[in-house]
Structure formats: structure tokens, C-alpha cells
Amino acid sequence: MVMKGKKGIILGIANKKSIAYGIAKACQEQGAQMAITFLNERFEHKLAPIAEDLGCGAKLYPCDVSKPEEIKALKDSIEKDMGQIDFIVHSIAFAPKEGLSGRFYDISKNAFDVAMDISVYSLIEIVRELKPVLSDNSSVLTLSYYGGVKYIPNYNLMGVAKAALEMTTKYLAEDLGRDGIRVNAISAGPIKTLAASGIGEFSFMLKWNAAHAPLKKNVSIEQVGNSGMYLLSDLSAGVTGEVHYVDAGFNIMGMPAVAFNEEGKQTIAWNGEPK
Ligand code: NAP
């Protein structure tokens, strides 16, 4: 029970397919107590059974990260109901649809600002506002994707946001290390979630990743959840500012591997289909 005695807040559970749910489950299984947040009243009733499922200690608070007053109120609720906490999971991203397909250079300033505000600035603001309730041995985790490092078709605006998020993770890690707060990111492989369904041709991304990753399959929210739990726990006490890939190894590939059978005959075509 490596999370026994740990308390934390998880932002970004939309449903049981969310990556944040995978992380919450892994933390619960290891003995953590958690609070979770919902975006607005429309989502409150959907998340109530999930809060229940995550254990009697799971509390449910509103938090739209585009509203600074809701982040401040979240801190007050945590202070009142939980006292100090030991971890924060920031599993939130949003870009207007125009930013997730088509020509990149067509993006409007408004779409750019919204994506950066919700997907990047929110991490800084949450950490700053919640810092008074963070213990001096705490861990913050955010979620990134390989499209913040290399070009991925249609990921467009979110790729730029993830690049900024990964650097934000490093600058926060240095800034907060002196306060005993670690900040890390997981760069997860593609997973079919609500947010992912907004990305153009996402099912192709899933097929491509599974065909070309060393493990020849996609990752699950359980796998990301377990790695997330490790980064939130004291098992990773010496780790901060890291972007940890949980992507079946896809990021190490410089070129799609061409598989050969024992007779030396090619078995996988360039497009990942069996040959
Ligand atoms: P998800 O289940 O749809 O989760 C995204 C969450 O962000 C939702 O709970 C959503 O709330 C929340 N959100 C959006 N705008 C918000 C706002 N203004 N205030 C508060 N919450 C807001 O999708 P997911 O795939 O698990 O995404 C979680 C994180 O993982 C994101 O950062 C995503 O970029 C990252 N990631 C995903 C993949 C993938 O392939 N799925 C891969 C790598 C990284 P509502 O649903 O209530 O709107």
C-alpha cells in the first residue's frame, strides 16, 4: 500500500475512460484518499457515482480552470475538508475544434489563447493557489503527449500547448523543489477518451501507434494509472521535472520498424498492415 496515508486531488475525470480515472483507481488501490473535481453542474451528477466508487473519502468539488475564482474556492474546500494534501493530478486539456485539424497556420488568436489557458496556464495557477495546502513532501503530475515534441498530423494546436506544458513542468519543478514539491509529466500513448475523440483521424493514430510501437499495442488507462501512481508516491522521491513516456515505447522509434519472419521475409508493410 504505497499510497497509504496520502491525500490528493484529481482534476480531469470526465468518465471511467479518462486517464485521470486510471490514475485515481491506481492510487485508491494503493490506499490513497482523494477528492475529484467536475467542470460544471452538467457533469456533477455524472461524477457523483465515480466519487463514490473511488472510496468513502472521495469528495467532489466544482472547478472550471478557466475561472480563477473556482480554483481559489477549490483551495478553500480542500483546506476545510482535507487539511493538507500530498498530491495533485492535472489531467486537463482543451482546444477549440478549429485547432485540431486542417492547416495549422489558420489558427485564430482566440483558439490559441483558450488552448494555452486551459491546457497549460491552469497547471501554474492550480499549483500556485493550492501550494498553501500542499505538504512539504508532495507530488504534482500532469499529462502530455508526443505531439508536443514531434509533428503529429492534426494534433496541431494541442502539440504547441503540450510543448509549453512540458517546459512548464520543468520550470515548476525547479521553482518548487526547494519547497519539497515534485512536478512531473507522463507522456501517454494515444487512448480512446472523450478528449481524444476531438482530434482529427484519431483512430488512425491508434492503429499507427499499435503497429509501430516496440510493444506492438496501445497503452491502457490502467498502465498509465500505475505509472502515475508511482510518480505521485514516495517510490519516485528522487524524480522531478521528468516527462515519463508511457506509450508502449513508440517515442524511441526513429523510423517505422519493418518486421521480418524467421526466413527473413518481410511481414509488416510500411503502413503497418500485415503483408
Ligand atoms: P478526458 O477523459 O476527456 O479528460 C479531459 C478532462 O479535461 C475532462 O475531464 C474535461 O472535463 C477536462 N477539462 C476540459 N476543460 C476544462 C476546464 N476548463 N476546467 C476543468 N476541466 C476541464 O480525456 P483524457 O484523454 O483522459 O485527457 C486527459 C489528459 O491526458 C489531457 O491533458 C490530454 O491531453 C492528455 N493525454 C491524452 C491522451 C489520449 O490519447 N487520450 C494521450 C496523451 C495525453 P469535461 O469532460 O467535464 O469537459
Side-chain angles (χ1 to χ4, degrees), residues 107-131:
I107 281 162
S108 67
K109 181 162 171 13
N110 181 56
F112 190 91
D113 289 350
V114 168
M116 295 299 275
D117 182 36
I118 294 177
S119 313
V120 186
Y121 186 70
S122 64
L123 176 64
I124 303 168
E125 197 167 17
I126 286 163
V127 170
R128 188 178 57 242
E129 293 303 327
L130 268 54
K131 190 168 171 285

Tab-separated table of all heavy atoms in Angstrom, residues 107-131:
chain	number	residue	atom	x	y	z
A	107	ILE	N	-4.953	28.982	-37.520
A	107	ILE	CA	-5.469	29.101	-36.142
A	107	ILE	C	-5.693	30.559	-35.731
A	107	ILE	O	-4.832	31.418	-35.950
A	107	ILE	CB	-4.478	28.434	-35.164
A	107	ILE	CG1	-4.694	26.929	-35.210
A	107	ILE	CG2	-4.662	28.912	-33.741
A	107	ILE	CD1	-3.541	26.180	-34.664
A	108	SER	N	-6.847	30.804	-35.093
A	108	SER	CA	-7.144	32.164	-34.633
A	108	SER	C	-6.443	32.421	-33.300
A	108	SER	O	-6.113	31.489	-32.557
A	108	SER	CB	-8.651	32.331	-34.448
A	108	SER	OG	-9.090	31.511	-33.384
A	109	LYS	N	-6.256	33.691	-32.992
A	109	LYS	CA	-5.616	34.058	-31.729
A	109	LYS	C	-6.481	33.589	-30.553
A	109	LYS	O	-5.970	33.130	-29.540
A	109	LYS	CB	-5.402	35.573	-31.670
A	109	LYS	CG	-4.727	36.007	-30.379
A	109	LYS	CD	-4.147	37.374	-30.499
A	109	LYS	CE	-3.640	37.952	-29.197
A	109	LYS	NZ	-3.495	37.097	-28.069
A	110	ASN	N	-7.797	33.686	-30.751
A	110	ASN	CA	-8.687	33.272	-29.670
A	110	ASN	C	-8.526	31.779	-29.355
A	110	ASN	O	-8.406	31.386	-28.193
A	110	ASN	CB	-10.143	33.588	-30.040
A	110	ASN	CG	-11.069	33.184	-28.917
A	110	ASN	OD1	-10.913	33.630	-27.782
A	110	ASN	ND2	-12.010	32.298	-29.211
A	111	ALA	N	-8.494	30.935	-30.410
A	111	ALA	CA	-8.337	29.486	-30.183
A	111	ALA	C	-6.998	29.217	-29.493
A	111	ALA	O	-6.914	28.404	-28.557
A	111	ALA	CB	-8.411	28.739	-31.510
A	112	PHE	N	-5.953	29.908	-29.937
A	112	PHE	CA	-4.623	29.733	-29.343
A	112	PHE	C	-4.661	30.073	-27.850
A	112	PHE	O	-4.190	29.314	-27.006
A	112	PHE	CB	-3.620	30.627	-30.078
A	112	PHE	CG	-2.183	30.357	-29.718
A	112	PHE	CD1	-1.426	29.444	-30.439
A	112	PHE	CD2	-1.585	31.026	-28.658
A	112	PHE	CE1	-0.097	29.185	-30.105
A	112	PHE	CE2	-0.260	30.768	-28.315
A	112	PHE	CZ	0.491	29.854	-29.036
A	113	ASP	N	-5.262	31.225	-27.537
A	113	ASP	CA	-5.304	31.679	-26.137
A	113	ASP	C	-6.092	30.703	-25.258
A	113	ASP	O	-5.689	30.399	-24.133
A	113	ASP	CB	-5.945	33.069	-26.051
A	113	ASP	CG	-5.033	34.151	-26.633
A	113	ASP	OD1	-3.855	33.849	-26.910
A	113	ASP	OD2	-5.516	35.287	-26.831
A	114	VAL	N	-7.216	30.225	-25.779
A	114	VAL	CA	-8.054	29.300	-24.990
A	114	VAL	C	-7.287	28.016	-24.697
A	114	VAL	O	-7.258	27.528	-23.558
A	114	VAL	CB	-9.378	28.994	-25.746
A	114	VAL	CG1	-10.119	27.838	-25.094
A	114	VAL	CG2	-10.267	30.236	-25.794
A	115	ALA	N	-6.643	27.457	-25.740
A	115	ALA	CA	-5.910	26.190	-25.553
A	115	ALA	C	-4.776	26.366	-24.539
A	115	ALA	O	-4.583	25.516	-23.659
A	115	ALA	CB	-5.358	25.708	-26.889
A	116	MET	N	-4.042	27.471	-24.656
A	116	MET	CA	-2.909	27.681	-23.736
A	116	MET	C	-3.409	27.950	-22.308
A	116	MET	O	-2.792	27.502	-21.340
A	116	MET	CB	-2.048	28.864	-24.208
A	116	MET	CG	-1.369	28.629	-25.525
A	116	MET	SD	-0.219	27.233	-25.516
A	116	MET	CE	1.228	27.999	-24.918
A	117	ASP	N	-4.515	28.651	-22.202
A	117	ASP	CA	-5.056	28.971	-20.884
A	117	ASP	C	-5.495	27.698	-20.153
A	117	ASP	O	-5.073	27.436	-19.020
A	117	ASP	CB	-6.245	29.936	-21.053
A	117	ASP	CG	-6.831	30.353	-19.722
A	117	ASP	OD1	-6.045	30.520	-18.768
A	117	ASP	OD2	-8.068	30.491	-19.627
A	118	ILE	N	-6.321	26.895	-20.835
A	118	ILE	CA	-6.885	25.716	-20.152
A	118	ILE	C	-5.876	24.576	-20.042
A	118	ILE	O	-5.832	23.875	-19.034
A	118	ILE	CB	-8.178	25.266	-20.873
A	118	ILE	CG1	-9.229	26.365	-20.699
A	118	ILE	CG2	-8.682	23.926	-20.327
A	118	ILE	CD1	-10.524	26.129	-21.392
A	119	SER	N	-5.040	24.402	-21.053
A	119	SER	CA	-4.174	23.221	-21.080
A	119	SER	C	-2.809	23.459	-20.432
A	119	SER	O	-2.123	22.493	-20.100
A	119	SER	CB	-3.945	22.780	-22.534
A	119	SER	OG	-5.167	22.748	-23.239
A	120	VAL	N	-2.405	24.720	-20.278
A	120	VAL	CA	-1.051	24.997	-19.767
A	120	VAL	C	-1.100	25.919	-18.532
A	120	VAL	O	-0.666	25.534	-17.447
A	120	VAL	CB	-0.155	25.649	-20.845
A	120	VAL	CG1	1.285	25.776	-20.335
A	120	VAL	CG2	-0.190	24.851	-22.142
A	121	TYR	N	-1.658	27.125	-18.726
A	121	TYR	CA	-1.615	28.082	-17.619
A	121	TYR	C	-2.311	27.519	-16.376
A	121	TYR	O	-1.896	27.790	-15.234
A	121	TYR	CB	-2.228	29.440	-18.008
A	121	TYR	CG	-2.026	30.436	-16.893
A	121	TYR	CD1	-0.757	30.930	-16.601
A	121	TYR	CD2	-3.092	30.817	-16.077
A	121	TYR	CE1	-0.556	31.779	-15.535
A	121	TYR	CE2	-2.899	31.669	-15.010
A	121	TYR	CZ	-1.629	32.151	-14.741
A	121	TYR	OH	-1.422	32.984	-13.676
A	122	SER	N	-3.351	26.703	-16.603
A	122	SER	CA	-4.096	26.142	-15.462
A	122	SER	C	-3.182	25.362	-14.524
A	122	SER	O	-3.387	25.374	-13.307
A	122	SER	CB	-5.235	25.244	-15.957
A	122	SER	OG	-4.715	24.131	-16.655
A	123	LEU	N	-2.162	24.705	-15.062
A	123	LEU	CA	-1.250	23.951	-14.171
A	123	LEU	C	-0.525	24.913	-13.225
A	123	LEU	O	-0.434	24.670	-12.024
A	123	LEU	CB	-0.241	23.137	-15.005
A	123	LEU	CG	0.815	22.395	-14.179
A	123	LEU	CD1	0.185	21.321	-13.291
A	123	LEU	CD2	1.876	21.773	-15.076
A	124	ILE	N	-0.059	26.024	-13.783
A	124	ILE	CA	0.678	27.006	-12.958
A	124	ILE	C	-0.259	27.581	-11.883
A	124	ILE	O	0.080	27.674	-10.706
A	124	ILE	CB	1.217	28.150	-13.844
A	124	ILE	CG1	2.107	27.592	-14.960
A	124	ILE	CG2	1.980	29.177	-13.004
A	124	ILE	CD1	2.454	28.604	-16.050
A	125	GLU	N	-1.454	27.927	-12.332
A	125	GLU	CA	-2.393	28.579	-11.406
A	125	GLU	C	-2.839	27.626	-10.292
A	125	GLU	O	-2.921	28.016	-9.122
A	125	GLU	CB	-3.611	29.078	-12.204
A	125	GLU	CG	-4.411	30.099	-11.450
A	125	GLU	CD	-5.415	30.815	-12.340
A	125	GLU	OE1	-5.708	30.321	-13.441
A	125	GLU	OE2	-5.911	31.866	-11.914
A	126	ILE	N	-3.090	26.381	-10.674
A	126	ILE	CA	-3.520	25.394	-9.669
A	126	ILE	C	-2.420	25.180	-8.630
A	126	ILE	O	-2.673	25.183	-7.427
A	126	ILE	CB	-3.899	24.057	-10.358
A	126	ILE	CG1	-5.250	24.208	-11.064
A	126	ILE	CG2	-3.960	22.907	-9.363
A	126	ILE	CD1	-5.521	23.144	-12.086
A	127	VAL	N	-1.196	25.020	-9.116
A	127	VAL	CA	-0.097	24.783	-8.179
A	127	VAL	C	0.090	25.999	-7.264
A	127	VAL	O	0.264	25.863	-6.050
A	127	VAL	CB	1.203	24.434	-8.946
A	127	VAL	CG1	2.397	24.439	-8.006
A	127	VAL	CG2	1.072	23.080	-9.617
A	128	ARG	N	0.026	27.202	-7.848
A	128	ARG	CA	0.229	28.411	-7.031
A	128	ARG	C	-0.872	28.552	-5.977
A	128	ARG	O	-0.597	28.805	-4.797
A	128	ARG	CB	0.260	29.646	-7.925
A	128	ARG	CG	0.657	30.904	-7.159
A	128	ARG	CD	0.741	32.125	-8.049
A	128	ARG	NE	-0.503	32.380	-8.743
A	128	ARG	CZ	-0.648	32.379	-10.069
A	128	ARG	NH1	0.375	32.147	-10.857
A	128	ARG	NH2	-1.818	32.616	-10.611
A	129	GLU	N	-2.131	28.371	-6.399
A	129	GLU	CA	-3.244	28.571	-5.454
A	129	GLU	C	-3.299	27.479	-4.391
A	129	GLU	O	-3.686	27.732	-3.256
A	129	GLU	CB	-4.575	28.646	-6.217
A	129	GLU	CG	-4.713	29.873	-7.102
A	129	GLU	CD	-4.564	31.201	-6.345
A	129	GLU	OE1	-4.950	31.280	-5.173
A	129	GLU	OE2	-4.034	32.155	-6.942
A	130	LEU	N	-2.937	26.246	-4.794
A	130	LEU	CA	-3.052	25.127	-3.847
A	130	LEU	C	-1.780	24.923	-3.006
A	130	LEU	O	-1.774	24.104	-2.094
A	130	LEU	CB	-3.407	23.825	-4.591
A	130	LEU	CG	-4.914	23.515	-4.710
A	130	LEU	CD1	-5.675	24.660	-5.319
A	130	LEU	CD2	-5.175	22.236	-5.474
A	131	LYS	N	-0.742	25.694	-3.318
A	131	LYS	CA	0.526	25.499	-2.613
A	131	LYS	C	0.379	25.563	-1.077
A	131	LYS	O	0.967	24.751	-0.365
A	131	LYS	CB	1.558	26.528	-3.091
A	131	LYS	CG	2.954	26.244	-2.591
A	131	LYS	CD	3.967	27.098	-3.328
A	131	LYS	CE	5.338	27.001	-2.700
A	131	LYS	NZ	5.459	27.734	-1.443
